[in-house]
Amino acid sequence: VKVMVNDKIMDRSEAVIDIEDRGYQFGDGVYEVIRIYDGVMFTGDEHLERFYSSAEKIQITVPFQKEELLDLMNQLIKENNVKDGSVYMQLTRGASPRNHVFPSKDIKPVLTAYTKEVARPVESLENGVAAMIADDIRWLRCDIKSLNLLPNLLAKQAATEQGCYEAILHRDGLVTEGSSSNAYIVVDGKIKTHPATNLILNGITRQVLARICQNNNIPFVEEAFTLDELRNADEIFVTSTTSEVMPVVKLDGTEVGDGNPGELTRKLQTLFVEEFESVKKA
Ligand code: PLP
């Protein structure tokens, strides 16, 4: 398989990263995961937009123009002949003798990318998944898609150990998002989700969903909700690039509604599939 280091496509076995790369030592960098449906990136522009924005927020300059980077990703996807999968890309502040202080300007950021085949999680999308509630112990800049994911990993690991697909996080009783997804409730036909502040990552799937809701007159309310509201919701779902619109049918061991994916969640799933199908054809 081929990977990318800066603007070079090469065999994975040939890729070399310095042991003092700041991404490796400090998690000093940002990343994106973009879905590929039928060989084509879905919402690639939006992901790149967020990539540049994340980098800027931590004062790293992406060493390429957006169109160049999009071109490079498309080359990589083509080289690897990816059909349904994803491309992962990350940018670190570069390699330099270990020091918390940023290195001098002549140290170049390091871009790496690779692709993989990923099937849609059809079984889970159909039947729904279990989730648990966990404390959101992350920092106050969750709007940045940074490489520092330790709190997210701890939450996901706890969820997995309890047989759950996702941990839904809360700060002082207000639900923020999932460990690797955005979280939503449905109450009386209205969708509620945390506003896009510094406390959550504004998911690209979340943005697509907001647009879908607007176009279909489905109330989409960006307002934080409590753990009580979560526990009493008619429906719960989470979204992400790889999970799409994922129904949560069990919360901390208790069935949500009748234990099946909710009606509105199902409708959103259908509309979401139509959305990426239409992009594929375009
Ligand atoms: N929130 C967090 C913490 C995430 O890690 C992710 C994605 O991995 C999301 C939300 C969903 O974002 P997106 O829809 O852009 O994949």
Side-chain angles (χ1 to χ4, degrees):
V1 289
K2 302 284 187 189
V3 302
M4 192 152 66
V5 180
N6 297 317
D7 57 351
K8 302 278 185 305
I9 293 180
M10 61 187 76
D11 279 333
R12 181 169 177 152
S13 59
E14 283 165 9
V16 174
I17 298 297
D18 195 281
I19 63 164
E20 283 188 306
D21 186 284
R22 294 177 65 91
Y24 181 56
Q25 289 196 318
F26 296 123
D28 187 3
V30 297
Y31 75 105
E32 275 299 327
V33 180
I34 309 173
R35 194 75 171 94
I36 301 162
Y37 292 116
D38 216 1
V40 180
M41 274 190 277
F42 176 60
T43 57
D45 288 343
E46 287 89 334
H47 280 279
L48 280 205
E49 197 63 52
R50 186 173 65 187
F51 189 62
Y52 280 74
S53 157
S54 291
E56 194 185 330
K57 286 171 178 174
I58 63 168
Q59 300 167 54
I60 300 180
T61 306
V62 184
F64 305 99
Q65 298 300 312
K66 256 173 228 157
E67 303 75 57
E68 272 181 288
L69 193 51
L70 210 52
D71 259 12
L72 288 168
M73 291 307 131
N74 278 321
Q75 275 179 43
L76 188 64
I77 290 165
K78 218 167 151 189
E79 279 283 342
N80 288 326
N81 200 16
V82 186
K83 195 167 181 304
D84 289 306
S86 64
V87 53
Y88 175 92
M89 55 197 273
Q90 75 166 45
L91 183 70
T92 75
R93 204 179 303 277
S96 171
R98 187 179 183 279
N99 185 339
H100 286 52
V101 179
F102 293 174
S104 71
K105 292 275 181 252
D106 49 303
I107 299 298
K108 296 277 173 284
V110 174
L111 178 81
T112 49
Y114 66 94
T115 61
K116 63 176 183 178
E117 287 286 331
V118 193
R120 297 184 58 223
V122 280
E123 205 265 344
S124 299
L125 288 169
E126 185 58 34
N127 300 320
V129 295
M132 65 172 273
I133 294 170
D135 249 344
D136 191 341
I137 60 167
R138 298 173 303 164
W139 69 333
L140 299 175
R141 292 307 305 273
C142 296
D143 54 311
I144 302 170
K145 201 162 170 67
S146 105
L147 297 176
N148 286 271
L149 290 174
L150 210 36
N152 306 63
L153 308 190
L154 290 172
K156 184 73 91 185
Q157 181 62 24
T160 303
E161 284 171 10
Q162 295 202 16
C164 291
Y165 179 86
E166 182 58 304
I168 296 178
L169 310 176
H170 74 97
R171 259 182 216 276
D172 301 323
L174 286 183
V175 172
T176 48
E177 60 181 335
S179 75
S180 64
S181 60
N182 291 111
Y184 311 75
I185 54 170
V186 176
V187 178
D188 298 332
K190 286 196 189 75
I191 299 163
K192 244 189 184 188
T193 194
H194 196 286
T197 65
N198 61 309
L199 297 183
I200 69 158
L201 183 77
N202 189 4
I204 304 302
T205 320
R206 179 186 182 280
Q207 295 170 40
V208 170
L209 204 69
R211 197 171 67 224
I212 287 175
C213 285
Q214 185 158 31
N215 293 340
N216 291 276
N217 291 317
I218 300 166
F220 186 89
V221 184
E222 299 184 54
E223 211 177 273
F225 53 90
T226 64
L227 284 179
D228 264 358
E229 288 178 273
L230 179 69
R231 291 195 186 98
N232 294 308
D234 299 332
E235 304 177 24
I236 303 174
F237 62 93
V238 295
T239 67
S240 80
T241 293
T242 42
S243 294
E244 300 182 1
V245 178
M246 185 61 78
V248 173
V249 295
K250 211 179 227 189
L251 180 70
D252 278 348
T254 303
E255 282 186 351
V256 179
D258 65 359
N260 291 303
E263 194 183 316
L264 187 52
T265 306
R266 285 239 181 270
K267 181 167 177 191
L268 294 172
Q269 286 183 316
T270 306
L271 291 169
F272 186 78
V273 171
E274 280 173 12
E275 180 76 18
F276 74 71
E277 290 286 346
S278 73
V279 173
K280 269 185 354 193
K281 283 190 205 100

